[in-house]
Amino acid sequence: MSTGNPLPVSVFNTLLLKLVNIVEITESAEGPLTHQARQALLQATNEFKDGMSKARELSNALPGGELLIQEQDEIIEMLERLRERKQQQLVDFSNRVFATNKIIEDAKMEIDSMASTPFAPSSS
């Protein structure tokens, strides 16, 4: 199992194929009447059952899988509020930086303006 994705999707993808195999066996021309067809159906059913068992194990092993739906909803709401608060902090910080930069630019322009103005000694 890779560390990037804690849930191997391939296990779940094969479940549908296994179920389709069961349906095809039961709807085949022979049907489940012959010994060979019954053996194939038994094998296909066991493979599906094993796949479901593996999928259930993987689902139960997911972090947070022990939480009730209501608890998951509460955590999601808390995380959404946290995200909104962080976004507001980012906007506030950005506004402060912009205001500070504006003050610095205004001061630079004033200094440049004063530097380019010729000095006129006062007549006393």
Side-chain angles (χ1 to χ4, degrees), residues 31-50:
L33 300 176
T34 67
H35 177 69
Q36 197 173 22
R38 278 186 277 184
Q39 285 299 107
L41 181 59
L42 178 62
Q43 182 180 348
T45 304
N46 284 338
E47 287 176 6
F48 180 73
K49 187 172 97 176
D50 291 343

Side-chain angles (χ1 to χ4, degrees), residues 5-24:
N5 184 2
L7 188 64
V9 177
S10 61
V11 172
F12 294 90
N13 290 340
T14 61
L15 288 176
L16 184 58
L17 296 174
K18 291 175 182 179
L19 185 59
V20 167
N21 189 27
I22 292 171
V23 171
E24 286 175 347

